[in-house]
Amino acid sequence: MTEKEQVQKIVKKYNKSIADLSENATAKEFKTVMNYIADEANRKQRKLVGLDK
């Protein structure tokens, strides 16, 4: 399972709610989702300023 699929499964489990995720998720689930969000934000910012293609 890819990281994206894993994150989608976790997000679906908590009804796409950041409040439910932060209150009820395990530390590992929360960290996985937050790391994925940060990585995607960094990737999009790098693409926007022309550092990545």
Side-chain angles (χ1 to χ4, degrees):
M1 181 182 313
T2 66
E3 184 180 18
K4 184 176 181 177
E5 291 170 338
Q6 187 177 11
V7 167
Q8 287 174 338
K9 183 178 175 184
I10 295 168
V11 168
K12 186 177 178 183
K13 179 179 175 182
Y14 295 103
N15 301 317
K16 298 182 181 180
S17 170
I18 191 70
D20 288 345
L21 179 72
S22 64
E23 289 178 10
N24 302 321
T26 65
K28 184 177 179 181
E29 288 175 329
F30 189 74
K31 184 177 178 183
T32 300
V33 172
M34 291 300 138
N35 281 339
Y36 180 78
I37 291 170
D39 291 344
E40 283 299 301
N42 288 339
R43 183 186 62 79
K44 289 180 180 182
Q45 287 173 356
R46 290 179 64 82
K47 185 175 181 181
L48 184 66
V49 297
L51 295 175
D52 287 340
K53 294 182 180 181

